[in-house]
Amino acid sequence: MKILFLTHYYPPEVNAPANRVHEHARAWVRDGHDVTVITGVPNHPRGQLFPGYANRWLQEERRDGVRVLRTWMYVTANEGFVKRSASYLAFMLTAVLASFRAERPDVVVATSPQFFCGIAGALVGALKRRPFVLEVRDLWPESIVALGQLRRGSLPVRLLEAVERALYRRASGVVVVTRAFARHVAARGVPESRIALVYNGIDGDAWTPRPPSPELLARHGIGGAFRVGYVGTLGLAHGLVTVLDAAERLADPEVHFVFVGDGADRARIEQEAKRRGLANVHFTGLLPREEVPAWLASLDVLLVMLRDLPVFETVIPSKLFEFAAMERPILLSAPKGEVRELVENAEVGVAIDAEDADALAAAIAALRREPERARRLAARARAWAEQGFRREALARRMAQFLAERAA
């Protein structure tokens, strides 16, 4: 099967959309499929080109057997609604133009979180007269309304909602990453036969348990501490001030908090930590994805954070599966919803209410006091991730759905 995949993000960018598309594409190539990805030049989240790349009209490379066509981008940091929207719109246009360099596929796939990429996918599918499948990784525009970036009922939101409905109608199939997303799509008129649930998951070769890295810990001066880590995008969706509140409440010099990553909220969080004089809070900045497993292995508790907003009752952060695969204790701070149900039903971590700093501080202290309990949770999490969320099996499930829609 020839698959043409459009995505705004792709490695060497290290966010969740980039990782999911790359790991699926790589698995499809190993299974004998022909995969071409259309994406932009890598610059997320800082709006700075990655080393070795220039913002030219079109560049081509091979990555793990996947043909990658990179288009010119309007390069901007992942902050500010207007500039980001301009970047999304520019990619929508350049992706359609770049598709003329791709052979006619059996199926065209485009992924959210933003729908301009989906529009490009629908247009490419029409131009090449091939089925179009939309992957929904985030509920747009629900999430941007929830985060206060646009007002519900405003003209831009009404337009985006119209685009959402049109894309669902146009798509031959819709791939979603949670049960709640499937219900959302079905409620907008898409038959269940055209919806496939494909969870996020793990690359079983990359995410494996290992000892902490003494060199890494020594370099950052936290070798003797109890280490609590937030690893991933430091974005508006995560309520990371709550982590600072918990650090302040614990007031224990032997408990260190580490933020590994970058994002739209990093500057604010870092400035707030300095303002409060939190000497036990550290920021690493953006790291290459290959360095992340060593950090995960070197942290005593891994945080999965979501803000206390109804839209986040529907999501399952992809980092949950990677943390579980690394056999590390997971502390989830989230509203009651699908991710809380997963963690609590499988007993693979500690779950508390979202944006509750007192509960977060208490849960961290409890895991520090009870290392045997933490080890049991971590071992159960590893088995859970291995049994149900290996990327190879999930990629094959999605490929089967794509083949059915292309038939």
Side-chain angles (χ1 to χ4, degrees), residues 69-111:
L69 299 175
R70 294 190 181 274
T71 72
W72 177 89
M73 293 278 286
Y74 170 58
V75 174
T76 184
N78 187 40
E79 54 191 38
F81 178 78
V82 173
K83 287 186 175 181
R84 284 189 301 143
S85 296
S87 180
Y88 298 154
L89 281 165
F91 177 68
M92 179 182 74
L93 298 173
T94 58
V96 172
L97 293 173
S99 71
F100 289 99
R101 287 283 297 273
E103 294 180 11
R104 186 168 184 251
D106 295 304
V107 64
V108 177
V109 189
T111 188

mmCIF file of all heavy atoms in Angstrom, residues 69-111:
data_model
loop_
_atom_site.group_PDB
_atom_site.id
_atom_site.type_symbol
_atom_site.label_atom_id
_atom_site.label_comp_id
_atom_site.label_asym_id
_atom_site.label_seq_id
_atom_site.Cartn_x
_atom_site.Cartn_y
_atom_site.Cartn_z
ATOM 1 N N LEU A 69 9.291 14.707 2.374
ATOM 2 C CA LEU A 69 9.306 15.941 1.599
ATOM 3 C C LEU A 69 9.050 17.097 2.560
ATOM 4 O O LEU A 69 7.989 17.162 3.188
ATOM 5 C CB LEU A 69 8.226 15.910 0.513
ATOM 6 C CG LEU A 69 8.337 14.805 -0.541
ATOM 7 C CD1 LEU A 69 7.136 14.845 -1.473
ATOM 8 C CD2 LEU A 69 9.636 14.939 -1.326
ATOM 9 N N ARG A 70 10.036 17.992 2.669
ATOM 10 C CA ARG A 70 9.919 19.124 3.592
ATOM 11 C C ARG A 70 9.678 20.404 2.797
ATOM 12 O O ARG A 70 10.442 20.747 1.907
ATOM 13 C CB ARG A 70 11.188 19.265 4.438
ATOM 14 C CG ARG A 70 11.404 18.087 5.383
ATOM 15 C CD ARG A 70 12.518 18.373 6.366
ATOM 16 N NE ARG A 70 12.750 17.236 7.250
ATOM 17 C CZ ARG A 70 12.085 17.003 8.374
ATOM 18 N NH1 ARG A 70 11.145 17.853 8.753
ATOM 19 N NH2 ARG A 70 12.362 15.953 9.122
ATOM 20 N N THR A 71 8.629 21.123 3.175
ATOM 21 C CA THR A 71 8.250 22.340 2.468
ATOM 22 C C THR A 71 8.768 23.579 3.205
ATOM 23 O O THR A 71 9.154 23.519 4.380
ATOM 24 C CB THR A 71 6.725 22.461 2.367
ATOM 25 O OG1 THR A 71 6.192 22.787 3.663
ATOM 26 C CG2 THR A 71 6.106 21.178 1.885
ATOM 27 N N TRP A 72 8.747 24.687 2.494
ATOM 28 C CA TRP A 72 8.998 25.985 3.126
ATOM 29 C C TRP A 72 7.943 26.228 4.202
ATOM 30 O O TRP A 72 6.782 25.841 4.054
ATOM 31 C CB TRP A 72 8.920 27.099 2.069
ATOM 32 C CG TRP A 72 9.083 28.480 2.638
ATOM 33 C CD1 TRP A 72 10.241 29.157 2.806
ATOM 34 C CD2 TRP A 72 8.039 29.344 3.109
ATOM 35 N NE1 TRP A 72 10.001 30.394 3.355
ATOM 36 C CE2 TRP A 72 8.650 30.540 3.553
ATOM 37 C CE3 TRP A 72 6.655 29.222 3.205
ATOM 38 C CZ2 TRP A 72 7.933 31.601 4.080
ATOM 39 C CZ3 TRP A 72 5.924 30.273 3.733
ATOM 40 C CH2 TRP A 72 6.559 31.445 4.158
ATOM 41 N N MET A 73 8.355 26.876 5.303
ATOM 42 C CA MET A 73 7.436 27.171 6.407
ATOM 43 C C MET A 73 7.503 28.652 6.762
ATOM 44 O O MET A 73 8.561 29.296 6.614
ATOM 45 C CB MET A 73 7.837 26.377 7.661
ATOM 46 C CG MET A 73 7.660 24.888 7.544
ATOM 47 S SD MET A 73 5.956 24.394 7.855
ATOM 48 C CE MET A 73 5.868 24.601 9.636
ATOM 49 N N TYR A 74 6.385 29.173 7.240
ATOM 50 C CA TYR A 74 6.432 30.441 7.959
ATOM 51 C C TYR A 74 6.854 30.072 9.380
ATOM 52 O O TYR A 74 6.085 29.535 10.167
ATOM 53 C CB TYR A 74 5.080 31.141 7.960
ATOM 54 C CG TYR A 74 5.026 32.337 8.889
ATOM 55 C CD1 TYR A 74 5.917 33.394 8.737
ATOM 56 C CD2 TYR A 74 4.096 32.398 9.928
ATOM 57 C CE1 TYR A 74 5.890 34.485 9.597
ATOM 58 C CE2 TYR A 74 4.057 33.478 10.788
ATOM 59 C CZ TYR A 74 4.955 34.515 10.618
ATOM 60 O OH TYR A 74 4.930 35.585 11.470
ATOM 61 N N VAL A 75 8.119 30.313 9.696
ATOM 62 C CA VAL A 75 8.720 29.834 10.939
ATOM 63 C C VAL A 75 8.407 30.807 12.069
ATOM 64 O O VAL A 75 8.716 31.999 11.986
ATOM 65 C CB VAL A 75 10.249 29.676 10.774
ATOM 66 C CG1 VAL A 75 10.892 29.326 12.097
ATOM 67 C CG2 VAL A 75 10.545 28.605 9.723
ATOM 68 N N THR A 76 7.793 30.289 13.126
ATOM 69 C CA THR A 76 7.468 31.115 14.278
ATOM 70 C C THR A 76 7.433 30.244 15.520
ATOM 71 O O THR A 76 7.215 29.022 15.436
ATOM 72 C CB THR A 76 6.107 31.813 14.088
ATOM 73 O OG1 THR A 76 5.851 32.693 15.188
ATOM 74 C CG2 THR A 76 4.970 30.807 13.990
ATOM 75 N N ALA A 77 7.658 30.846 16.668
ATOM 76 C CA ALA A 77 7.619 30.105 17.930
ATOM 77 C C ALA A 77 6.209 29.599 18.196
ATOM 78 O O ALA A 77 5.225 30.154 17.699
ATOM 79 C CB ALA A 77 8.098 30.991 19.075
ATOM 80 N N ASN A 78 6.114 28.552 19.006
ATOM 81 C CA ASN A 78 4.827 27.948 19.329
ATOM 82 C C ASN A 78 4.120 28.757 20.421
ATOM 83 O O ASN A 78 3.815 28.267 21.506
ATOM 84 C CB ASN A 78 5.020 26.503 19.797
ATOM 85 C CG ASN A 78 3.692 25.790 19.967
ATOM 86 O OD1 ASN A 78 2.794 25.972 19.165
ATOM 87 N ND2 ASN A 78 3.570 24.996 21.012
ATOM 88 N N GLU A 79 3.873 30.013 20.126
ATOM 89 C CA GLU A 79 3.169 30.894 21.058
ATOM 90 C C GLU A 79 2.578 32.043 20.254
ATOM 91 O O GLU A 79 3.122 32.461 19.241
ATOM 92 C CB GLU A 79 4.131 31.425 22.119
ATOM 93 C CG GLU A 79 5.364 32.093 21.560
ATOM 94 C CD GLU A 79 6.419 32.376 22.609
ATOM 95 O OE1 GLU A 79 6.607 31.544 23.503
ATOM 96 O OE2 GLU A 79 7.066 33.437 22.509
ATOM 97 N N GLY A 80 1.443 32.517 20.697
ATOM 98 C CA GLY A 80 0.766 33.588 19.970
ATOM 99 C C GLY A 80 -0.155 33.021 18.909
ATOM 100 O O GLY A 80 0.291 32.404 17.943
ATOM 101 N N PHE A 81 -1.464 33.207 19.098
ATOM 102 C CA PHE A 81 -2.447 32.558 18.236
ATOM 103 C C PHE A 81 -2.319 33.008 16.778
ATOM 104 O O PHE A 81 -2.392 32.186 15.853
ATOM 105 C CB PHE A 81 -3.859 32.848 18.756
ATOM 106 C CG PHE A 81 -4.945 32.258 17.904
ATOM 107 C CD1 PHE A 81 -5.239 30.909 17.993
ATOM 108 C CD2 PHE A 81 -5.646 33.043 17.004
ATOM 109 C CE1 PHE A 81 -6.227 30.353 17.195
ATOM 110 C CE2 PHE A 81 -6.640 32.491 16.211
ATOM 111 C CZ PHE A 81 -6.924 31.138 16.308
ATOM 112 N N VAL A 82 -2.123 34.303 16.533
ATOM 113 C CA VAL A 82 -2.124 34.821 15.167
ATOM 114 C C VAL A 82 -0.949 34.272 14.377
ATOM 115 O O VAL A 82 -1.106 33.773 13.249
ATOM 116 C CB VAL A 82 -2.116 36.362 15.170
ATOM 117 C CG1 VAL A 82 -1.951 36.901 13.753
ATOM 118 C CG2 VAL A 82 -3.401 36.904 15.792
ATOM 119 N N LYS A 83 0.252 34.331 14.945
ATOM 120 C CA LYS A 83 1.430 33.850 14.220
ATOM 121 C C LYS A 83 1.370 32.345 13.992
ATOM 122 O O LYS A 83 1.737 31.849 12.917
ATOM 123 C CB LYS A 83 2.702 34.223 14.977
ATOM 124 C CG LYS A 83 3.049 35.710 14.901
ATOM 125 C CD LYS A 83 4.387 35.993 15.545
ATOM 126 C CE LYS A 83 4.783 37.453 15.369
ATOM 127 N NZ LYS A 83 6.108 37.743 15.974
ATOM 128 N N ARG A 84 0.916 31.602 14.984
ATOM 129 C CA ARG A 84 0.816 30.159 14.799
ATOM 130 C C ARG A 84 -0.210 29.823 13.719
ATOM 131 O O ARG A 84 0.001 28.919 12.897
ATOM 132 C CB ARG A 84 0.453 29.465 16.110
ATOM 133 C CG ARG A 84 1.627 29.357 17.076
ATOM 134 C CD ARG A 84 1.294 28.478 18.252
ATOM 135 N NE ARG A 84 0.151 29.002 18.974
ATOM 136 C CZ ARG A 84 -0.799 28.267 19.529
ATOM 137 N NH1 ARG A 84 -0.763 26.955 19.401
ATOM 138 N NH2 ARG A 84 -1.782 28.810 20.187
ATOM 139 N N SER A 85 -1.326 30.556 13.714
ATOM 140 C CA SER A 85 -2.341 30.325 12.682
ATOM 141 C C SER A 85 -1.777 30.621 11.297
ATOM 142 O O SER A 85 -2.066 29.903 10.329
ATOM 143 C CB SER A 85 -3.577 31.190 12.951
ATOM 144 O OG SER A 85 -4.194 30.821 14.168
ATOM 145 N N ALA A 86 -0.977 31.679 11.198
ATOM 146 C CA ALA A 86 -0.348 31.999 9.915
ATOM 147 C C ALA A 86 0.578 30.867 9.477
ATOM 148 O O ALA A 86 0.638 30.513 8.289
ATOM 149 C CB ALA A 86 0.425 33.309 10.021
ATOM 150 N N SER A 87 1.299 30.273 10.417
ATOM 151 C CA SER A 87 2.178 29.147 10.090
ATOM 152 C C SER A 87 1.367 27.950 9.610
ATOM 153 O O SER A 87 1.734 27.287 8.634
ATOM 154 C CB SER A 87 3.016 28.774 11.312
ATOM 155 O OG SER A 87 3.874 27.687 11.041
ATOM 156 N N TYR A 88 0.251 27.669 10.292
ATOM 157 C CA TYR A 88 -0.605 26.558 9.890
ATOM 158 C C TYR A 88 -1.169 26.777 8.481
ATOM 159 O O TYR A 88 -1.207 25.856 7.656
ATOM 160 C CB TYR A 88 -1.770 26.395 10.864
ATOM 161 C CG TYR A 88 -1.384 26.079 12.281
ATOM 162 C CD1 TYR A 88 -2.224 26.429 13.344
ATOM 163 C CD2 TYR A 88 -0.191 25.424 12.601
ATOM 164 C CE1 TYR A 88 -1.900 26.141 14.656
ATOM 165 C CE2 TYR A 88 0.145 25.131 13.904
ATOM 166 C CZ TYR A 88 -0.717 25.495 14.934
ATOM 167 O OH TYR A 88 -0.396 25.213 16.234
ATOM 168 N N LEU A 89 -1.611 28.007 8.210
ATOM 169 C CA LEU A 89 -2.170 28.318 6.893
ATOM 170 C C LEU A 89 -1.107 28.179 5.794
ATOM 171 O O LEU A 89 -1.382 27.642 4.711
ATOM 172 C CB LEU A 89 -2.741 29.734 6.897
ATOM 173 C CG LEU A 89 -4.121 29.899 7.535
ATOM 174 C CD1 LEU A 89 -4.406 31.368 7.810
ATOM 175 C CD2 LEU A 89 -5.195 29.308 6.621
ATOM 176 N N ALA A 90 0.099 28.673 6.077
ATOM 177 C CA ALA A 90 1.172 28.572 5.090
ATOM 178 C C ALA A 90 1.484 27.113 4.780
ATOM 179 O O ALA A 90 1.657 26.736 3.614
ATOM 180 C CB ALA A 90 2.415 29.295 5.595
ATOM 181 N N PHE A 91 1.540 26.285 5.812
ATOM 182 C CA PHE A 91 1.828 24.875 5.576
ATOM 183 C C PHE A 91 0.702 24.212 4.789
ATOM 184 O O PHE A 91 0.955 23.344 3.931
ATOM 185 C CB PHE A 91 2.047 24.127 6.889
ATOM 186 C CG PHE A 91 2.272 22.655 6.694
ATOM 187 C CD1 PHE A 91 3.429 22.189 6.084
ATOM 188 C CD2 PHE A 91 1.313 21.735 7.074
ATOM 189 C CE1 PHE A 91 3.627 20.826 5.876
ATOM 190 C CE2 PHE A 91 1.506 20.371 6.869
ATOM 191 C CZ PHE A 91 2.669 19.917 6.273
ATOM 192 N N MET A 92 -0.540 24.605 5.047
ATOM 193 C CA MET A 92 -1.660 24.055 4.287
ATOM 194 C C MET A 92 -1.435 24.248 2.781
ATOM 195 O O MET A 92 -1.628 23.326 1.981
ATOM 196 C CB MET A 92 -2.966 24.721 4.715
ATOM 197 C CG MET A 92 -4.198 24.230 3.976
ATOM 198 S SD MET A 92 -5.692 25.114 4.492
ATOM 199 C CE MET A 92 -5.417 26.702 3.673
ATOM 200 N N LEU A 93 -0.976 25.434 2.414
ATOM 201 C CA LEU A 93 -0.763 25.742 0.993
ATOM 202 C C LEU A 93 0.468 25.023 0.447
ATOM 203 O O LEU A 93 0.425 24.411 -0.626
ATOM 204 C CB LEU A 93 -0.635 27.249 0.809
ATOM 205 C CG LEU A 93 -1.864 28.079 1.202
ATOM 206 C CD1 LEU A 93 -1.551 29.560 1.133
ATOM 207 C CD2 LEU A 93 -3.040 27.732 0.309
ATOM 208 N N THR A 94 1.581 25.099 1.172
ATOM 209 C CA THR A 94 2.810 24.502 0.653
ATOM 210 C C THR A 94 2.725 22.983 0.629
ATOM 211 O O THR A 94 3.321 22.345 -0.248
ATOM 212 C CB THR A 94 4.034 24.948 1.478
ATOM 213 O OG1 THR A 94 3.847 24.575 2.844
ATOM 214 C CG2 THR A 94 4.238 26.450 1.384
ATOM 215 N N ALA A 95 1.973 22.389 1.553
ATOM 216 C CA ALA A 95 1.829 20.929 1.555
ATOM 217 C C ALA A 95 1.078 20.461 0.311
ATOM 218 O O ALA A 95 1.426 19.433 -0.292
ATOM 219 C CB ALA A 95 1.108 20.476 2.812
ATOM 220 N N VAL A 96 0.042 21.206 -0.067
ATOM 221 C CA VAL A 96 -0.694 20.846 -1.286
ATOM 222 C C VAL A 96 0.231 20.934 -2.499
ATOM 223 O O VAL A 96 0.258 20.037 -3.357
ATOM 224 C CB VAL A 96 -1.927 21.751 -1.464
ATOM 225 C CG1 VAL A 96 -2.575 21.506 -2.828
ATOM 226 C CG2 VAL A 96 -2.941 21.506 -0.348
ATOM 227 N N LEU A 97 1.015 22.002 -2.585
ATOM 228 C CA LEU A 97 1.949 22.142 -3.708
ATOM 229 C C LEU A 97 2.991 21.028 -3.697
ATOM 230 O O LEU A 97 3.333 20.478 -4.752
ATOM 231 C CB LEU A 97 2.624 23.511 -3.649
ATOM 232 C CG LEU A 97 1.708 24.718 -3.887
ATOM 233 C CD1 LEU A 97 2.464 26.014 -3.630
ATOM 234 C CD2 LEU A 97 1.124 24.695 -5.289
ATOM 235 N N ALA A 98 3.499 20.689 -2.516
ATOM 236 C CA ALA A 98 4.517 19.634 -2.429
ATOM 237 C C ALA A 98 3.968 18.274 -2.844
ATOM 238 O O ALA A 98 4.729 17.399 -3.284
ATOM 239 C CB ALA A 98 5.064 19.561 -1.004
ATOM 240 N N SER A 99 2.666 18.094 -2.731
ATOM 241 C CA SER A 99 2.077 16.793 -3.065
ATOM 242 C C SER A 99 2.251 16.447 -4.537
ATOM 243 O O SER A 99 2.176 15.268 -4.912
ATOM 244 C CB SER A 99 0.590 16.769 -2.698
ATOM 245 O OG SER A 99 -0.171 17.580 -3.580
ATOM 246 N N PHE A 100 2.498 17.452 -5.388
ATOM 247 C CA PHE A 100 2.728 17.165 -6.798
ATOM 248 C C PHE A 100 4.053 16.429 -7.019
ATOM 249 O O PHE A 100 4.285 15.870 -8.095
ATOM 250 C CB PHE A 100 2.681 18.459 -7.622
ATOM 251 C CG PHE A 100 1.289 19.036 -7.731
ATOM 252 C CD1 PHE A 100 0.892 20.073 -6.911
ATOM 253 C CD2 PHE A 100 0.376 18.512 -8.637
ATOM 254 C CE1 PHE A 100 -0.398 20.594 -7.008
ATOM 255 C CE2 PHE A 100 -0.909 19.025 -8.737
ATOM 256 C CZ PHE A 100 -1.297 20.071 -7.919
ATOM 257 N N ARG A 101 4.928 16.451 -6.002
ATOM 258 C CA ARG A 101 6.187 15.705 -6.082
ATOM 259 C C ARG A 101 6.033 14.261 -5.588
ATOM 260 O O ARG A 101 6.989 13.487 -5.638
ATOM 261 C CB ARG A 101 7.260 16.422 -5.251
ATOM 262 C CG ARG A 101 7.772 17.701 -5.869
ATOM 263 C CD ARG A 101 8.752 17.427 -7.016
ATOM 264 N NE ARG A 101 9.936 16.735 -6.534
ATOM 265 C CZ ARG A 101 11.008 17.351 -6.041
ATOM 266 N NH1 ARG A 101 11.048 18.681 -5.963
ATOM 267 N NH2 ARG A 101 12.044 16.663 -5.620
ATOM 268 N N ALA A 102 4.859 13.923 -5.099
ATOM 269 C CA ALA A 102 4.615 12.575 -4.583
ATOM 270 C C ALA A 102 3.813 11.766 -5.595
ATOM 271 O O ALA A 102 2.919 12.293 -6.267
ATOM 272 C CB ALA A 102 3.851 12.650 -3.263
ATOM 273 N N GLU A 103 4.134 10.501 -5.700
ATOM 274 C CA GLU A 103 3.360 9.627 -6.583
ATOM 275 C C GLU A 103 1.933 9.485 -6.064
ATOM 276 O O GLU A 103 1.649 9.707 -4.891
ATOM 277 C CB GLU A 103 4.019 8.245 -6.637
ATOM 278 C CG GLU A 103 5.404 8.234 -7.284
ATOM 279 C CD GLU A 103 5.999 6.837 -7.312
ATOM 280 O OE1 GLU A 103 5.257 5.868 -7.025
ATOM 281 O OE2 GLU A 103 7.191 6.707 -7.620
ATOM 282 N N ARG A 104 1.046 9.097 -6.975
ATOM 283 C CA ARG A 104 -0.349 8.908 -6.582
ATOM 284 C C ARG A 104 -0.429 7.752 -5.578
ATOM 285 O O ARG A 104 -0.029 6.624 -5.880
ATOM 286 C CB ARG A 104 -1.198 8.595 -7.814
ATOM 287 C CG ARG A 104 -2.703 8.529 -7.535
ATOM 288 C CD ARG A 104 -3.473 8.501 -8.845
ATOM 289 N NE ARG A 104 -4.910 8.535 -8.618
ATOM 290 C CZ ARG A 104 -5.728 7.500 -8.827
ATOM 291 N NH1 ARG A 104 -5.228 6.347 -9.282
ATOM 292 N NH2 ARG A 104 -7.022 7.599 -8.616
ATOM 293 N N PRO A 105 -0.941 8.012 -4.390
ATOM 294 C CA PRO A 105 -0.958 6.978 -3.354
ATOM 295 C C PRO A 105 -2.246 6.161 -3.403
ATOM 296 O O PRO A 105 -3.162 6.457 -4.174
ATOM 297 C CB PRO A 105 -0.901 7.807 -2.076
ATOM 298 C CG PRO A 105 -1.708 9.030 -2.421
ATOM 299 C CD PRO A 105 -1.438 9.311 -3.881
ATOM 300 N N ASP A 106 -2.305 5.165 -2.557
ATOM 301 C CA ASP A 106 -3.565 4.443 -2.351
ATOM 302 C C ASP A 106 -4.468 5.189 -1.381
ATOM 303 O O ASP A 106 -5.689 5.092 -1.469
ATOM 304 C CB ASP A 106 -3.273 3.037 -1.805
ATOM 305 C CG ASP A 106 -2.518 2.188 -2.807
ATOM 306 O OD1 ASP A 106 -3.015 2.033 -3.938
ATOM 307 O OD2 ASP A 106 -1.427 1.701 -2.464
ATOM 308 N N VAL A 107 -3.855 5.919 -0.445
ATOM 309 C CA VAL A 107 -4.632 6.653 0.550
ATOM 310 C C VAL A 107 -3.827 7.863 1.003
ATOM 311 O O VAL A 107 -2.593 7.821 1.077
ATOM 312 C CB VAL A 107 -4.991 5.740 1.755
ATOM 313 C CG1 VAL A 107 -3.745 5.276 2.500
ATOM 314 C CG2 VAL A 107 -5.965 6.414 2.705
ATOM 315 N N VAL A 108 -4.538 8.947 1.288
ATOM 316 C CA VAL A 108 -3.936 10.174 1.825
ATOM 317 C C VAL A 108 -4.379 10.315 3.277
ATOM 318 O O VAL A 108 -5.572 10.202 3.586
ATOM 319 C CB VAL A 108 -4.379 11.418 1.034
ATOM 320 C CG1 VAL A 108 -3.803 12.692 1.645
ATOM 321 C CG2 VAL A 108 -3.965 11.295 -0.431
ATOM 322 N N VAL A 109 -3.425 10.574 4.163
ATOM 323 C CA VAL A 109 -3.718 10.741 5.585
ATOM 324 C C VAL A 109 -3.199 12.104 6.030
ATOM 325 O O VAL A 109 -2.105 12.521 5.621
ATOM 326 C CB VAL A 109 -3.049 9.646 6.447
ATOM 327 C CG1 VAL A 109 -3.551 9.701 7.884
ATOM 328 C CG2 VAL A 109 -3.280 8.266 5.840
ATOM 329 N N ALA A 110 -3.976 12.798 6.843
ATOM 330 C CA ALA A 110 -3.519 14.054 7.449
ATOM 331 C C ALA A 110 -3.870 14.033 8.920
ATOM 332 O O ALA A 110 -4.910 13.491 9.315
ATOM 333 C CB ALA A 110 -4.159 15.261 6.771
ATOM 334 N N THR A 111 -3.003 14.608 9.742
ATOM 335 C CA THR A 111 -3.184 14.533 11.189
ATOM 336 C C THR A 111 -3.354 15.908 11.798
ATOM 337 O O THR A 111 -2.791 16.894 11.328
ATOM 338 C CB THR A 111 -1.994 13.796 11.832
ATOM 339 O OG1 THR A 111 -2.268 13.564 13.215
ATOM 340 C CG2 THR A 111 -0.687 14.572 11.697
#
